[in-house]
Amino acid sequence: MLSILAQHAAIALTNARLYERSRELTIAGERARLAHELHDAVSQKLFSLRLTAQAATALVDRDPDRAKDELQQIALLAAEATDELRSAVVELRPAALDEDGLVATLRTQVQVLDRAHSAQVTFACHGVRALPAAQEGAVLRVAQEALHNALRHADARQVDVTLTRHGQGARLRVADDGTGFDPSAVRRAGRHLGLVSMRDRAGGVGGRLTVESAPGKGTVIEMEVPGG
């Protein structure tokens, strides 16, 4: 009898430990996901704000009217950043997606970067259907991170964003003519330029991410999601 009780106690203790470990992993996963959301929501908008502010500063003397337009854009971006941050904390979903959808939201963000940056940034969309909410959020965040890398780190002069239908889902492609890099060297050096975040986002919605790059050859990032 004592042996049976001891076995039951051991099983109960093991189950309790497994439950606690599972809870810890869940909390850690949520923290990592929230960290990604906060990073994307804040850094991408601040990057756009900085570029627009630089454009406004350059235009103040020679073209006050255009400078005024850029200042109005800064106010709009600041309001969007507030909404994005609130959305990241409360819903973990980019705010504009609920109102405008993935295609319109991505097109707007590309247009903002094209206006604010000396590089040419283009967007094209072909036959994309509405995706599950989680997949749309992941696609948008990966696109933002890829654009951020191309414009801030790669010194690109041309960045092309394409969203196309892929089976029941979609394929995102962000290609730039920037400095490029060696993906394996980046991993060895412990620098990831957001690649870990992008891979996590793709994998988290059942998709996959591929990165093609080489020094002096630009970078192509593709993400495929399965749809619903």
Side-chain angles (χ1 to χ4, degrees), residues 52 56 63-75 115:
T52 307
D63 195 339
D65 289 336
R66 282 192 60 195
K68 182 179 179 180
D69 291 340
E70 296 298 331
L71 289 172
Q72 291 174 342
Q73 184 66 28
I74 288 173
R115 288 182 55 192

Side-chain angles (χ1 to χ4, degrees), residues 1-77:
M1 179 63 71
L2 290 176
S3 176
I4 294 174
L5 290 174
Q7 290 176 0
H8 281 293
I11 292 172
L13 181 60
T14 299
N15 287 338
R17 287 173 176 170
L18 289 173
Y19 172 79
E20 182 63 22
R21 179 57 177 164
S22 175
R23 190 175 71 87
E24 290 174 355
L25 290 174
T26 299
I27 292 173
E30 285 299 310
R31 285 176 175 171
R33 191 153 62 99
L34 180 58
H36 286 163
E37 290 290 342
L38 290 175
H39 168 266
D40 292 342
V42 175
S43 68
Q44 308 300 343
K45 288 296 181 184
L46 289 180
F47 179 56
S48 296
L49 278 167
R50 182 171 65 86
L51 291 177
T52 307
Q54 290 174 345
T57 300
L59 291 168
V60 165
D61 293 328
R62 70 172 186 268
D63 195 339
D65 289 336
R66 282 192 60 195
K68 182 179 179 180
D69 291 340
E70 296 298 331
L71 289 172
Q72 291 174 342
Q73 184 66 28
I74 288 173
L76 177 61
L77 286 170

Side-chain angles (χ1 to χ4, degrees), residues 114-138:
D114 184 54
R115 288 182 55 192
H117 202 274
S118 58
Q120 183 175 11
V121 189
T122 69
F123 175 72
C125 179
H126 307 288
V128 176
R129 296 177 175 178
L131 300 169
Q135 293 183 31
E136 288 196 343

Side-chain angles (χ1 to χ4, degrees), residues 177-224:
D177 65 351
T179 55
F181 62 97
D182 180 350
S184 61
V186 167
R187 287 193 296 271
R188 288 195 300 270
R191 297 169 58 246
H192 52 74
L193 301 177
L195 296 180
V196 172
S197 173
M198 288 190 281
R199 291 189 190 281
D200 286 348
R201 288 189 181 282
V205 294
R208 70 186 188 96
L209 186 93
T210 60
V211 179
E212 295 182 6
S213 187
K217 301 294 185 181
T219 300
V220 176
I221 292 176
E222 288 192 352
M223 176 186 181
E224 296 176 357

Side-chain angles (χ1 to χ4, degrees), residues 68-135:
K68 182 179 179 180
D69 291 340
E70 296 298 331
L71 289 172
Q72 291 174 342
Q73 184 66 28
I74 288 173
L76 177 61
L77 286 170
E80 289 179 353
T82 301
D83 290 340
E84 288 282 329
L85 185 57
R86 184 180 297 113
S87 176
V89 173
V90 177
E91 302 175 15
L92 297 180
R93 175 173 167 81
L97 283 178
D98 292 324
E99 296 181 3
D100 303 327
L102 174 62
V103 174
T105 300
L106 189 52
R107 178 180 288 113
T108 297
Q109 296 199 6
V110 167
Q111 289 172 345
V112 168
L113 290 175
D114 184 54
R115 288 182 55 192
H117 202 274
S118 58
Q120 183 175 11
V121 189
T122 69
F123 175 72
C125 179
H126 307 288
V128 176
R129 296 177 175 178
L131 300 169
Q135 293 183 31

